[in-house]
Amino acid sequence: MTMFDRQDYLYQYSDPKGDEGFGKVFAIVICFVFFLGALQVAYETVSGWYQNFMQWSSETLAFLAGFWPF
């Protein structure tokens, strides 16, 4: 038998538990990314409300200061 008479075998390895584990990890990563996105939207919303309130209150105080007798 020479070295060119060798037969090569192809082994197909299927691991359903590994595939299931990968799917769970991938789903957790996707859920975590969605959670971070929701946190970002909530932060930007609250930050926008705060900035608008501060602008409104400063404008209101400036307006009232024009009529307030000191």
Side-chain angles (χ1 to χ4, degrees):
M1 186 170 190
T2 64
M3 66 180 201
F4 296 111
D5 292 335
R6 183 178 70 114
Q7 291 185 357
D8 291 327
Y9 295 99
L10 175 65
Y11 292 101
Q12 286 189 334
Y13 181 69
S14 177
D15 183 15
K17 293 221 182 245
D19 294 341
E20 182 179 331
F22 174 76
K24 286 182 181 179
V25 169
F26 192 67
I28 289 171
V29 168
I30 288 175
C31 289
F32 184 68
V33 169
F34 281 144
F35 174 73
L36 289 179
L39 277 181
Q40 180 179 1
V41 169
Y43 172 77
E44 289 176 357
T45 301
V46 172
S47 176
W49 287 345
Y50 175 76
Q51 290 174 0
N52 289 338
F53 175 74
M54 285 296 132
Q55 182 178 359
W56 173 82
S57 62
S58 65
E59 289 174 359
T60 303
L61 287 175
F63 176 76
L64 292 177
F67 295 107
W68 196 263
F70 287 109

